[in-house]
Amino acid sequence: MHVAPSPLAVQLSPEVEAALAERRPVVALESTLLAHGLPRPDNRAAADRVEAAVRAGGAVPATIAVLDGVPHVGLTAAQVDRVCADPDLAKLGVRDLPVAAALGLSGATTVSSTALLAARAGIGVFATGGLGGVHRESTETFDESADLVALARTSLVVVCAGVKSILDVPATLERLESLSVTVVGYRTRTFPGFYVADSGCTIDWSVDDATQAAAVFAARRDLSPGAVVVANPLPADEQLDPELHDRVITGALAAAEEAGVRGKAVTPFVLEHLHRASEGATLAVNVRLVLRNAELAGRIAAALAALARRPAP
Ligand code: PSU
Ligand code: MN
């Protein structure tokens, strides 16, 4: 009997396919941060640097995007060009994936959809900049990123610099707790604030190295579906000046309100405004923190592969 292929079957690049088959470490990377989080044309060079950082950590990078309805895990240089250059590329969360697949559309994947596609491909580690979360004034707008619910359901490690600081960070941490998403700091119990090292919030647990992070994930995977968030702060001397940070964020949120921006357009609008208002300072810090997360994710993926190779006691 002929069985039609799943419309959401992922297309692995040859390099990613070989690495997974040989149980070598692989790190998933999202494409929304490239297409909608960083300005063109700087995003293109950043894409290469992020992939190189994963390799420096000891893993194979797998950037994920949907092209002509097909979810790709691992992109060619020409495919990365397309993701970075197309100003009309859609932003696809989990709920948008079936539409893109059925109608043959293209789009960049967010944390939520990247996590889902990565897990489906058998990838256990994912690096990004900052998670989506609960927006400020969410009690009026109900704006809470689909990233949170997706992480509650998906088994993988997500390395990030906290949640984007345009958000309500304490409320986001509360939601992560309600959703039973495991959160550990990387060598810190201070929850990072994305562009700044310290969000002002604390977390209960920290890990000392990549091996501990991998062991926490192995235990989590054994227990129930759900992500392990590894929060990796920028060192204080690499962060955005906290005073500049607070000033530009207040301005960016006011501009979004003024312009009547809603829904999934809010995050790209605010990030773009910040890059302009800080004369590129937020952009430089954003790229820096993604690179650090990619390198750490590479090391965690390598540690996870080493754990899997260890003979059972
Ligand atoms: N982190 C960044 N830049 C970004 C994002 C995260 O450094 O652009 C993206 C991620 O793809 C995340 C998305 O999933 O923003 C969240 O969007 P929203 O708030 O609309 O859920
Ligand atoms: Mn939203």
Side-chain angles (χ1 to χ4, degrees):
M1 193 181 73
H2 175 75
V3 180
S6 154
L8 270 167
V10 297
Q11 175 76 54
L12 304 177
S13 72
E15 187 189 15
V16 170
E17 185 168 23
L20 290 171
E22 293 159 24
R23 302 192 180 277
R24 284 187 282 120
V26 178
V27 169
L29 298 166
E30 59 151 311
S31 46
T32 290
L33 96 83
L34 299 174
H36 306 285
L38 301 174
R40 285 176 299 276
D42 302 1
N43 57 354
R44 184 62 186 83
D48 284 343
R49 291 176 68 199
V50 176
E51 291 204 351
V54 168
R55 291 188 198 279
V60 170
T63 304
I64 298 184
V66 180
L67 298 171
D68 307 312
V70 178
H72 286 264
V73 175
L75 303 181
T76 63
Q79 288 169 333
V80 178
D81 287 347
R82 208 174 140 187
V83 165
C84 291
D86 181 358
D88 300 318
L89 199 72
K91 173 179 164 184
L92 306 174
V94 171
R95 71 170 186 163
D96 308 305
L97 289 177
V99 183
L103 306 189
L105 307 177
S106 301
T109 51
T110 65
V111 168
S112 70
S113 51
T114 305
L116 185 110
L117 293 169
R120 229 180 214 239
I123 298 174
V125 184
F126 168 26
T128 183
L131 304 178
V134 180
H135 283 253
R136 300 181 192 183
E137 272 139 51
S138 66
T139 50
E140 278 156 48
T141 61
F142 275 72
D143 191 352
E144 175 185 320
S145 178
D147 291 356
L148 301 185
V149 171
L151 293 181
R153 295 185 187 145
T154 313
S155 281
L156 92 176
V157 176
V158 185
V159 183
C160 61
V163 303
K164 273 164 291 177
S165 46
I166 58 173
L167 301 171
D168 182 336
V169 178
T172 304
L173 283 171
E174 290 294 346
R175 288 289 291 143
L176 286 169
E177 181 183 354
S178 310
L179 292 163
S180 292
V181 173
T182 299
V183 179
V184 298
Y186 185 71
R187 298 188 172 153
T188 181
R189 295 205 181 172
T190 299
F191 193 65
F194 193 60
Y195 299 120
V196 291
D198 182 353
S199 67
C201 297
T202 56
I203 34 182
D204 293 339
W205 308 104
S206 65
V207 292
D208 294 334
D209 53 35
T211 302
Q212 283 192 350
V216 170
F217 175 60
R220 171 75 210 218
R221 198 172 41 188
D222 215 37
L223 180 72
S224 71
V228 172
V229 171
V230 176
N232 183 33
L234 277 171
D237 61 350
E238 288 186 33
Q239 69 177 347
L240 189 68
D241 169 21
E243 194 263 326
L244 172 67
H245 175 261
D246 294 351
R247 184 156 42 85
V248 290
I249 285 194
T250 310
L253 293 172
E257 170 83 37
E258 174 104 342
V261 183
R262 290 276 177 278
K264 67 184 182 183
V266 171
T267 298
F269 179 96
V270 172
L271 293 178
E272 218 271 310
H273 191 283
L274 290 175
H275 294 152
R276 263 185 297 117
S278 69
E279 294 170 348
T282 59
L283 172 59
V285 175
N286 200 341
V287 171
R288 201 145 66 217
L289 64 87
V290 176
L291 292 174
R292 288 174 49 88
N293 296 341
E295 195 268 341
L296 175 57
R299 285 190 283 126
I300 294 173
L304 200 59
L307 271 187
R309 278 195 301 271
R310 224 172 45 189

PDB file of all heavy atoms in Angstrom, residues 24 31 111 120 125 136 151 170 208 211 225-226 243 247 251-252 275 285 293 300 306:
ATOM      1  N   ARG A  24      26.792  11.760  16.410  1.00  0.00           N
ATOM      2  CA  ARG A  24      27.707  12.859  16.719  1.00  0.00           C
ATOM      3  C   ARG A  24      26.881  14.061  17.162  1.00  0.00           C
ATOM      4  O   ARG A  24      25.699  14.171  16.825  1.00  0.00           O
ATOM      5  CB  ARG A  24      28.544  13.192  15.473  1.00  0.00           C
ATOM      6  CG  ARG A  24      29.651  12.153  15.235  1.00  0.00           C
ATOM      7  CD  ARG A  24      30.582  12.589  14.113  1.00  0.00           C
ATOM      8  NE  ARG A  24      30.029  12.370  12.790  1.00  0.00           N
ATOM      9  CZ  ARG A  24      29.802  13.316  11.889  1.00  0.00           C
ATOM     10  NH1 ARG A  24      30.065  14.580  12.149  1.00  0.00           N
ATOM     11  NH2 ARG A  24      29.319  13.011  10.713  1.00  0.00           N
ATOM     12  N   SER A  31      15.865  30.429  12.835  1.00  0.00           N
ATOM     13  CA  SER A  31      16.063  31.399  11.755  1.00  0.00           C
ATOM     14  C   SER A  31      15.307  32.711  11.964  1.00  0.00           C
ATOM     15  O   SER A  31      15.611  33.703  11.303  1.00  0.00           O
ATOM     16  CB  SER A  31      15.685  30.783  10.410  1.00  0.00           C
ATOM     17  OG  SER A  31      14.457  30.098  10.496  1.00  0.00           O
ATOM     18  N   VAL A 111      11.588  30.187  18.270  1.00  0.00           N
ATOM     19  CA  VAL A 111      12.008  29.205  19.277  1.00  0.00           C
ATOM     20  C   VAL A 111      11.003  28.053  19.332  1.00  0.00           C
ATOM     21  O   VAL A 111      11.382  26.879  19.363  1.00  0.00           O
ATOM     22  CB  VAL A 111      12.159  29.871  20.664  1.00  0.00           C
ATOM     23  CG1 VAL A 111      12.305  28.823  21.760  1.00  0.00           C
ATOM     24  CG2 VAL A 111      13.355  30.819  20.672  1.00  0.00           C
ATOM     25  N   ARG A 120      11.921  16.582  16.564  1.00  0.00           N
ATOM     26  CA  ARG A 120      11.459  15.613  15.581  1.00  0.00           C
ATOM     27  C   ARG A 120      12.606  15.000  14.786  1.00  0.00           C
ATOM     28  O   ARG A 120      12.574  13.849  14.389  1.00  0.00           O
ATOM     29  CB  ARG A 120      10.594  16.368  14.575  1.00  0.00           C
ATOM     30  CG  ARG A 120       9.315  15.698  14.322  1.00  0.00           C
ATOM     31  CD  ARG A 120       8.574  16.549  13.327  1.00  0.00           C
ATOM     32  NE  ARG A 120       7.207  16.403  13.682  1.00  0.00           N
ATOM     33  CZ  ARG A 120       6.290  15.925  12.856  1.00  0.00           C
ATOM     34  NH1 ARG A 120       6.559  15.663  11.624  1.00  0.00           N
ATOM     35  NH2 ARG A 120       5.073  15.770  13.274  1.00  0.00           N
ATOM     36  N   VAL A 125      19.816  19.535  21.427  1.00  0.00           N
ATOM     37  CA  VAL A 125      20.324  20.816  21.942  1.00  0.00           C
ATOM     38  C   VAL A 125      20.056  21.924  20.928  1.00  0.00           C
ATOM     39  O   VAL A 125      20.230  21.732  19.716  1.00  0.00           O
ATOM     40  CB  VAL A 125      21.837  20.742  22.259  1.00  0.00           C
ATOM     41  CG1 VAL A 125      22.335  22.043  22.877  1.00  0.00           C
ATOM     42  CG2 VAL A 125      22.137  19.573  23.193  1.00  0.00           C
ATOM     43  N   ARG A 136       5.168  42.781  28.779  1.00  0.00           N
ATOM     44  CA  ARG A 136       4.720  43.739  29.784  1.00  0.00           C
ATOM     45  C   ARG A 136       3.287  44.139  29.418  1.00  0.00           C
ATOM     46  O   ARG A 136       2.946  44.197  28.248  1.00  0.00           O
ATOM     47  CB  ARG A 136       5.642  44.968  29.794  1.00  0.00           C
ATOM     48  CG  ARG A 136       7.089  44.576  30.119  1.00  0.00           C
ATOM     49  CD  ARG A 136       8.006  45.786  30.159  1.00  0.00           C
ATOM     50  NE  ARG A 136       9.410  45.344  30.186  1.00  0.00           N
ATOM     51  CZ  ARG A 136      10.451  46.165  30.274  1.00  0.00           C
ATOM     52  NH1 ARG A 136      10.257  47.468  30.357  1.00  0.00           N
ATOM     53  NH2 ARG A 136      11.685  45.695  30.275  1.00  0.00           N
ATOM     54  N   LEU A 151       8.003  24.876  24.884  1.00  0.00           N
ATOM     55  CA  LEU A 151       9.109  24.323  25.676  1.00  0.00           C
ATOM     56  C   LEU A 151       8.607  23.354  26.741  1.00  0.00           C
ATOM     57  O   LEU A 151       9.316  22.436  27.150  1.00  0.00           O
ATOM     58  CB  LEU A 151       9.934  25.445  26.308  1.00  0.00           C
ATOM     59  CG  LEU A 151      10.700  26.307  25.298  1.00  0.00           C
ATOM     60  CD1 LEU A 151      11.513  27.376  26.019  1.00  0.00           C
ATOM     61  CD2 LEU A 151      11.611  25.463  24.412  1.00  0.00           C
ATOM     62  N   PRO A 170       9.982  38.660  35.500  1.00  0.00           N
ATOM     63  CA  PRO A 170       9.463  37.859  36.622  1.00  0.00           C
ATOM     64  C   PRO A 170       8.213  37.054  36.234  1.00  0.00           C
ATOM     65  O   PRO A 170       8.089  35.891  36.620  1.00  0.00           O
ATOM     66  CB  PRO A 170       9.119  38.911  37.691  1.00  0.00           C
ATOM     67  CG  PRO A 170       9.918  40.119  37.331  1.00  0.00           C
ATOM     68  CD  PRO A 170      10.103  40.094  35.848  1.00  0.00           C
ATOM     69  N   ASP A 208      27.681  23.712  36.693  1.00  0.00           N
ATOM     70  CA  ASP A 208      29.053  24.215  36.655  1.00  0.00           C
ATOM     71  C   ASP A 208      29.719  24.043  35.304  1.00  0.00           C
ATOM     72  O   ASP A 208      30.715  24.701  35.011  1.00  0.00           O
ATOM     73  CB  ASP A 208      29.928  23.483  37.691  1.00  0.00           C
ATOM     74  CG  ASP A 208      29.485  23.786  39.105  1.00  0.00           C
ATOM     75  OD1 ASP A 208      28.888  24.861  39.315  1.00  0.00           O
ATOM     76  OD2 ASP A 208      29.722  22.941  39.996  1.00  0.00           O
ATOM     77  N   THR A 211      28.950  19.206  31.036  1.00  0.00           N
ATOM     78  CA  THR A 211      28.613  17.824  31.404  1.00  0.00           C
ATOM     79  C   THR A 211      27.442  17.790  32.386  1.00  0.00           C
ATOM     80  O   THR A 211      26.536  16.963  32.265  1.00  0.00           O
ATOM     81  CB  THR A 211      29.857  17.121  32.005  1.00  0.00           C
ATOM     82  OG1 THR A 211      30.896  17.182  31.025  1.00  0.00           O
ATOM     83  CG2 THR A 211      29.573  15.666  32.340  1.00  0.00           C
ATOM     84  N   PRO A 225       8.261  14.747  29.005  1.00  0.00           N
ATOM     85  CA  PRO A 225       8.612  15.734  27.980  1.00  0.00           C
ATOM     86  C   PRO A 225       8.789  17.109  28.625  1.00  0.00           C
ATOM     87  O   PRO A 225       8.239  17.355  29.689  1.00  0.00           O
ATOM     88  CB  PRO A 225       7.400  15.732  27.045  1.00  0.00           C
ATOM     89  CG  PRO A 225       6.681  14.464  27.324  1.00  0.00           C
ATOM     90  CD  PRO A 225       6.972  14.102  28.750  1.00  0.00           C
ATOM     91  N   GLY A 226       9.539  17.956  27.973  1.00  0.00           N
ATOM     92  CA  GLY A 226       9.750  19.296  28.515  1.00  0.00           C
ATOM     93  C   GLY A 226      11.209  19.673  28.376  1.00  0.00           C
ATOM     94  O   GLY A 226      12.093  18.812  28.370  1.00  0.00           O
ATOM     95  N   GLU A 243      22.166  51.447  32.014  1.00  0.00           N
ATOM     96  CA  GLU A 243      21.417  52.711  31.987  1.00  0.00           C
ATOM     97  C   GLU A 243      20.890  52.976  30.575  1.00  0.00           C
ATOM     98  O   GLU A 243      19.717  53.313  30.382  1.00  0.00           O
ATOM     99  CB  GLU A 243      22.361  53.829  32.495  1.00  0.00           C
ATOM    100  CG  GLU A 243      21.686  55.118  32.845  1.00  0.00           C
ATOM    101  CD  GLU A 243      21.763  56.131  31.702  1.00  0.00           C
ATOM    102  OE1 GLU A 243      22.791  56.121  30.983  1.00  0.00           O
ATOM    103  OE2 GLU A 243      20.794  56.882  31.537  1.00  0.00           O
ATOM    104  N   ARG A 247      16.827  52.989  29.210  1.00  0.00           N
ATOM    105  CA  ARG A 247      16.338  54.152  28.468  1.00  0.00           C
ATOM    106  C   ARG A 247      15.796  53.744  27.091  1.00  0.00           C
ATOM    107  O   ARG A 247      14.689  54.102  26.715  1.00  0.00           O
ATOM    108  CB  ARG A 247      17.466  55.181  28.333  1.00  0.00           C
ATOM    109  CG  ARG A 247      17.066  56.482  27.668  1.00  0.00           C
ATOM    110  CD  ARG A 247      18.001  57.629  28.084  1.00  0.00           C
ATOM    111  NE  ARG A 247      19.407  57.227  28.119  1.00  0.00           N
ATOM    112  CZ  ARG A 247      20.212  57.225  27.043  1.00  0.00           C
ATOM    113  NH1 ARG A 247      19.758  57.586  25.875  1.00  0.00           N
ATOM    114  NH2 ARG A 247      21.476  56.848  27.161  1.00  0.00           N
ATOM    115  N   GLY A 251      11.754  53.660  25.492  1.00  0.00           N
ATOM    116  CA  GLY A 251      11.433  54.354  24.241  1.00  0.00           C
ATOM    117  C   GLY A 251      10.867  53.415  23.189  1.00  0.00           C
ATOM    118  O   GLY A 251       9.892  53.751  22.494  1.00  0.00           O
ATOM    119  N   ALA A 252      11.439  52.225  23.073  1.00  0.00           N
ATOM    120  CA  ALA A 252      11.005  51.275  22.043  1.00  0.00           C
ATOM    121  C   ALA A 252       9.587  50.771  22.324  1.00  0.00           C
ATOM    122  O   ALA A 252       8.762  50.637  21.410  1.00  0.00           O
ATOM    123  CB  ALA A 252      11.976  50.105  21.974  1.00  0.00           C
ATOM    124  N   HIS A 275      17.849  48.659  18.014  1.00  0.00           N
ATOM    125  CA  HIS A 275      19.093  48.721  17.246  1.00  0.00           C
ATOM    126  C   HIS A 275      19.343  50.150  16.759  1.00  0.00           C
ATOM    127  O   HIS A 275      20.462  50.647  16.798  1.00  0.00           O
ATOM    128  CB  HIS A 275      19.051  47.760  16.042  1.00  0.00           C
ATOM    129  CG  HIS A 275      19.004  46.314  16.435  1.00  0.00           C
ATOM    130  ND1 HIS A 275      18.424  45.341  15.654  1.00  0.00           N
ATOM    131  CD2 HIS A 275      19.449  45.674  17.546  1.00  0.00           C
ATOM    132  CE1 HIS A 275      18.533  44.168  16.260  1.00  0.00           C
ATOM    133  NE2 HIS A 275      19.138  44.342  17.414  1.00  0.00           N
ATOM    134  N   VAL A 285      25.647  43.632  20.896  1.00  0.00           N
ATOM    135  CA  VAL A 285      25.495  42.784  22.082  1.00  0.00           C
ATOM    136  C   VAL A 285      24.646  41.555  21.748  1.00  0.00           C
ATOM    137  O   VAL A 285      24.940  40.442  22.197  1.00  0.00           O
ATOM    138  CB  VAL A 285      24.878  43.591  23.250  1.00  0.00           C
ATOM    139  CG1 VAL A 285      24.601  42.687  24.437  1.00  0.00           C
ATOM    140  CG2 VAL A 285      25.798  44.728  23.664  1.00  0.00           C
ATOM    141  N   ASN A 293      26.129  31.643  23.266  1.00  0.00           N
ATOM    142  CA  ASN A 293      25.167  30.557  23.494  1.00  0.00           C
ATOM    143  C   ASN A 293      25.412  29.401  22.531  1.00  0.00           C
ATOM    144  O   ASN A 293      25.300  28.231  22.897  1.00  0.00           O
ATOM    145  CB  ASN A 293      23.731  31.067  23.348  1.00  0.00           C
ATOM    146  CG  ASN A 293      23.379  32.094  24.407  1.00  0.00           C
ATOM    147  OD1 ASN A 293      24.055  32.174  25.438  1.00  0.00           O
ATOM    148  ND2 ASN A 293      22.343  32.880  24.161  1.00  0.00           N
ATOM    149  N   ILE A 300      27.639  21.438  25.141  1.00  0.00           N
ATOM    150  CA  ILE A 300      26.632  20.601  25.821  1.00  0.00           C
ATOM    151  C   ILE A 300      26.238  19.422  24.926  1.00  0.00           C
ATOM    152  O   ILE A 300      26.099  18.283  25.400  1.00  0.00           O
ATOM    153  CB  ILE A 300      25.391  21.443  26.227  1.00  0.00           C
ATOM    154  CG1 ILE A 300      25.791  22.475  27.289  1.00  0.00           C
ATOM    155  CG2 ILE A 300      24.272  20.540  26.752  1.00  0.00           C
ATOM    156  CD1 ILE A 300      24.697  23.480  27.643  1.00  0.00           C
ATOM    157  N   ALA A 306      28.798  12.222  24.572  1.00  0.00           N
ATOM    158  CA  ALA A 306      29.747  11.429  25.371  1.00  0.00           C
ATOM    159  C   ALA A 306      29.004  10.600  26.421  1.00  0.00           C
ATOM    160  O   ALA A 306      29.329   9.433  26.651  1.00  0.00           O
ATOM    161  CB  ALA A 306      30.767  12.356  26.036  1.00  0.00           C
TER     162      ALA A 306
END
